[in-house]
Amino acid sequence: MTILPGRKGRPPILAAETPKGPWGQGDEPDGGGPRNPWSLPPGGRKPGAKPTALDEFLKKARGGGNGGGGGPLNGLPGAPNARALWLIGAGIILLVWVLYTSIHPIAPQERGVVTYLGRYSGTLDPGIAMTMPAPIANVVKVDVQNIRIENFPESGSENLMLTSDQNIIDLAYAVRWKISSPQNYVFQIDKPRDTVRATAESVMREVVANVSLDSALGPGRATIENQVQERMQKVLDDYKSGIVVVGVGIKQADPPARVNDAFKDVTAAQQDAQGVRNQAQSYAKQVVARAEGEASQFDKVYEQYRLAPEVTRRRMYYETMEAVLAKSDKTIVEPSGVVPYLPMGNARRIPDAAAAEPAQPAQPTTTTTTGGGQ
Amino acid sequence: MSGLWRHPIALGLAALIFVILLAATVTIVPETQQAVVLRFEQPVRTVNAWKPNEQFGRTGAGPILRIPFIDRLVWLNKRVLDVDYDNQQVLSSDQLRLEVDAYARFRIIDPLKAVNATGSTSQTETAITEALRPLLGSSIRNELGNQPFATLLSPERDEVMDNIQTRLQRLATQYGVQIVDVRIKHADLPDGSPLDRALARMATARQQQAITIRAQGQKDAQIIRGEADAASARIYAQSFTKDADFYDFYRAMQSYRHTFGADGGPAPSGATSIILSPNNSYLREFEGRGR
């Protein structure tokens, strides 16, 4: 800062200063005429180090610490003042640095892994913790509560796997994991997330390869999830990864898109079969109900008939004939030689009647015939 | 004190030299790294080499001293590293082409061996990974080549992976590497005809299933209908056999009513003309008594 105005076109600092290093150790008691080119003021000005100036500078330094900028502006960079400001600036920077790197606020969900000169020295629990400043002690904060979610497949593509019966299933699933041991997590595994992903893929396929397609498509899901979680945990523990698998969830288990129609047809067939069965059931109910109805009707009539067989029989006969003949055309043929005349119009009209739309109910008359067909 | 400050540049320079020397002498070894110290390019010792079951904080990590500008350090990762083997075609013993993705997790446990085997560059780690990749590939090919495809779809899959690991460990020992685990990520039918054939097989199996289900449904329905018919016949018989003669009469009456549309049901289609003979039983009384 303050050096720059005092040096015009000098070569880089090292080249200028290297020879001065050994004898510039300050034998002279007073800074009357320092041989340092650094303290030579530009333009041959006299070095004037007034106490008032120093006071001002100190005040400035206390007041805001921007004295570093004020020095060259005054054009009189008195050596002691400049040094004082240097010192103060450096001190402030150092202090900030020390404070910043030795005080560690650890949030509730975090732990801090402390290494002291590279060596692990402990794990900080939540709260404010003090350590040695940065080059000596280092703190890596690790979030141990945040549950990370890995989705497979990452994009929405198909994720085909083979099942034990050599069929293929399309599986989408998610693995939730978190850090259980911060120091293992930081020190043991090179790429934790990749490790989790690779393990999950491998284990999932291994588990699915031991399950039949039909089981993987539905009823076996929970079993698969549990097995994958267990085995993943075992593998990750083998790596001493400091990772715990919180859960495995199968989001979707479908047959591959290309054979989906065939699978849907099976479902449709099941529906169809059930439909046919239901129809048969309702037919059965109808038939049996009708039989029961008719049988009990007959039983009741028969009970009455047994009490007076002959009369009942005649009565029923006449009633029936009445009802029947009332609805029909009647021709009575006398046996006394009359030639019966059957009007042929009827025969012609019958097909018409049959072809005609359903007409009004039959109007029985004694002269015409109308076939009311419903 | 103030005398010292008269030569801040000299002071700064001295400090700089001191720092450079310090940095060249003292090296901080983190927990995640191990190192081999080379003196005039000859390995003399290892620092923080991996040991089984060591506790963090009691490892070789920490500051170490070395002779500046003479001793050189080669860094090696101490963590579990991985080498991938992706999308490779492998033939199984039953001549099925498989598409295999696999990975090996490994640790460098003998840094000296590792450095000697790969040359003492700063790229040792990468060099080892690159050296292991073909070894992993050949282990996988050899092992899967001895196995029918179906073993990968059975509990023996674990065994297959263990065998690959054993093979790879034999080859990898020369690099000072311990294989932690070998796992097959995918072993799938490659796209194209093998996959298409498998999918076609799946589809036909399902079509068969659908046909069977429908046929079974029909069968069940017919059985149900048959049983119902039998049941109703039994009910009729139980009732009507009480008096077969009366049943005949009664049913005839019902039948007439129905046929001629007199039972309150739908009127029959077609007209009816009845020609009666006077001898008809119904007309017995029609002409009066005493004929």
Side-chain angles (χ1 to χ4, degrees), chain A residues 13-14 17-18 21 24-26 28-31 36 83 87 117-120 135 160 162-164 166-168 184 186-191 194-195 198-199 201-203 205-206 209-210 213-214 235 239 256 258-259 262-263 265-266 268-270 272-273 276-277 279-281 283-284 287-288 290-292 294-295 297-299 301-302 305 313-314 316-325 327-335 342 346 369-374, chain B residues 3-10 13 16 28-32 53 56-57 59 61-63 77 79-82 103 105 107 149-150 152-155 157-158 161 180-181 183-189 195-196 198-199 201-203 206-207 209-210 213-214 216-218 220-221 224-225 228-229 231-232 235-236 239-240 242-243 245-247 249-250 253-254 256-257 260-262 266-278 280-287:
Chain A
I13 188 161
L14 272 185
E17 320 283 63
T18 322
Q25 288 301 325
E28 287 97 339
D30 198 60
N36 254 326
R83 279 192 205 116
L87 218 68
L117 288 175
R119 181 180 293 159
Y120 171 69
L160 299 181
L162 282 157
T163 57
S164 65
Q166 300 212 9
N167 283 319
I168 296 162
N184 278 349
V186 172
F187 297 139
Q188 289 274 23
I189 297 281
D190 189 30
K191 301 175 198 150
D194 288 357
T195 303
T199 307
E201 272 192 78
S202 159
V203 170
R205 278 166 199 277
E206 187 186 327
N210 290 321
L213 174 71
D214 289 341
V235 171
Y239 303 163
R258 275 179 277 181
V259 296
F263 276 76
D265 191 39
V266 171
Q270 278 161 343
D272 292 353
V276 171
R277 277 192 212 100
Q279 274 179 341
Q281 292 282 11
Y283 165 84
V287 166
V288 172
R290 191 171 150 202
E292 281 168 347
E294 282 187 32
Q297 187 185 4
F298 176 79
D299 287 347
V301 174
Y302 178 64
Y305 167 78
R313 197 181 182 117
R314 286 316 294 175
M316 286 170 70
Y317 175 73
Y318 285 131
E319 277 176 10
T320 304
M321 293 318 275
E322 253 172 42
V324 168
L325 293 175
K327 291 217 173 233
S328 329
D329 303 336
K330 297 160 288 287
T331 311
I332 300 176
V333 182
E334 289 282 354
L342 295 180
N346 282 355
T369 62
T370 48
Q374 287 293 341
Chain B
L4 268 179
W5 290 106
R6 300 233 325 274
H7 306 287
I9 293 301
L13 206 63
L16 192 70
I28 289 178
V29 179
E31 293 277 7
T32 55
N53 301 322
F56 292 118
T59 58
N77 209 322
R79 292 181 287 191
V80 177
L81 305 168
D82 76 299
Y103 69 83
R105 302 270 156 195
R107 261 203 185 87
F149 168 66
L152 287 174
L153 304 180
S154 67
R157 186 184 168 115
D158 266 349
M161 296 199 284
V180 179
D181 197 5
R183 297 193 65 85
I184 298 168
K185 274 201 285 191
H186 306 213
D188 290 335
L189 301 165
L195 183 62
D196 291 346
L199 291 174
R201 182 169 48 74
M202 279 174 80
R206 292 290 145 166
Q207 282 152 8
Q209 208 181 334
I213 289 171
R214 287 199 173 94
Q216 184 68 42
Q218 285 292 351
D220 290 351
I224 291 167
R225 281 167 195 268
D229 290 344
S232 66
I235 293 167
Y236 285 133
S239 176
F240 300 156
K242 289 172 187 166
D243 186 337
D245 179 55
F246 175 67
Y247 170 69
F249 166 75
Y250 175 73
M253 294 301 114
Q254 256 191 351
Y256 296 158
R257 282 168 181 265
F260 299 112
S269 56
T272 314
S273 302
I274 298 180
I275 300 169
L276 293 169
S277 145
N280 186 301
S281 163
Y282 179 66
L283 295 177
R284 211 176 36 176
E285 309 289 337
F286 192 59
E287 299 185 15

Side-chain angles (χ1 to χ4, degrees), chain A residues 62-296:
Chain A
R62 281 195 214 104
N66 56 359
L73 282 178
N74 281 346
L76 293 169
N81 310 342
R83 279 192 205 116
L85 290 171
W86 251 123
L87 218 68
I88 287 162
I92 285 170
I93 287 170
L94 195 71
L95 190 72
V96 167
W97 170 256
V98 166
L99 285 179
Y100 185 73
T101 57
S102 53
I103 297 177
H104 306 280
I106 309 282
Q109 73 274 14
E110 289 178 330
R111 299 288 180 275
V113 178
V114 184
T115 49
Y116 179 75
L117 288 175
R119 181 180 293 159
Y120 171 69
S121 71
T123 301
L124 300 176
D125 285 337
I128 292 276
M130 293 280 295
T131 61
M132 299 286 283
I136 299 167
N138 230 326
V139 175
V140 179
K141 287 183 190 171
V142 176
D143 191 331
V144 293
Q145 287 196 350
N146 177 23
I147 292 177
R148 295 154 178 82
I149 297 179
E150 302 297 333
N151 285 311
F152 304 86
E154 272 184 303
S155 56
S157 60
E158 275 195 319
N159 192 19
L160 299 181
M161 296 182 195
L162 282 157
T163 57
S164 65
D165 43 8
Q166 300 212 9
N167 283 319
I168 296 162
I169 189 169
D170 180 14
L171 266 187
Y173 57 101
V175 172
R176 300 186 302 285
W177 59 281
K178 66 177 193 182
I179 298 163
S180 59
S181 156
Q183 57 267 36
N184 278 349
Y185 181 80
V186 172
F187 297 139
Q188 289 274 23
I189 297 281
D190 189 30
K191 301 175 198 150
R193 179 167 176 258
D194 288 357
T195 303
V196 171
R197 286 195 70 88
T199 307
E201 272 192 78
S202 159
V203 170
M204 178 56 88
R205 278 166 199 277
E206 187 186 327
V207 170
V208 169
N210 290 321
V211 176
S212 75
L213 174 71
D214 289 341
S215 157
L217 282 174
R221 271 197 199 191
T223 321
I224 293 173
E225 288 169 358
N226 292 336
Q227 280 191 353
V228 170
Q229 185 173 348
E230 266 173 49
R231 292 194 196 191
M232 266 189 81
Q233 193 59 61
K234 200 168 138 288
V235 171
L236 291 169
D237 289 348
D238 278 355
Y239 303 163
K240 297 193 177 68
S241 59
I243 288 169
V244 61
V245 180
V246 180
V248 176
I250 294 177
K251 292 186 289 190
Q252 240 188 335
D254 293 326
R258 275 179 277 181
V259 296
N260 216 348
D261 286 351
F263 276 76
K264 281 190 181 140
D265 191 39
V266 171
T267 318
Q270 278 161 343
Q271 303 278 354
D272 292 353
Q274 197 52 48
V276 171
R277 277 192 212 100
N278 291 346
Q279 274 179 341
Q281 292 282 11
S282 62
Y283 165 84
K285 284 201 180 72
Q286 259 180 329
V287 166
V288 172
R290 191 171 150 202
E292 281 168 347
E294 282 187 32
S296 69

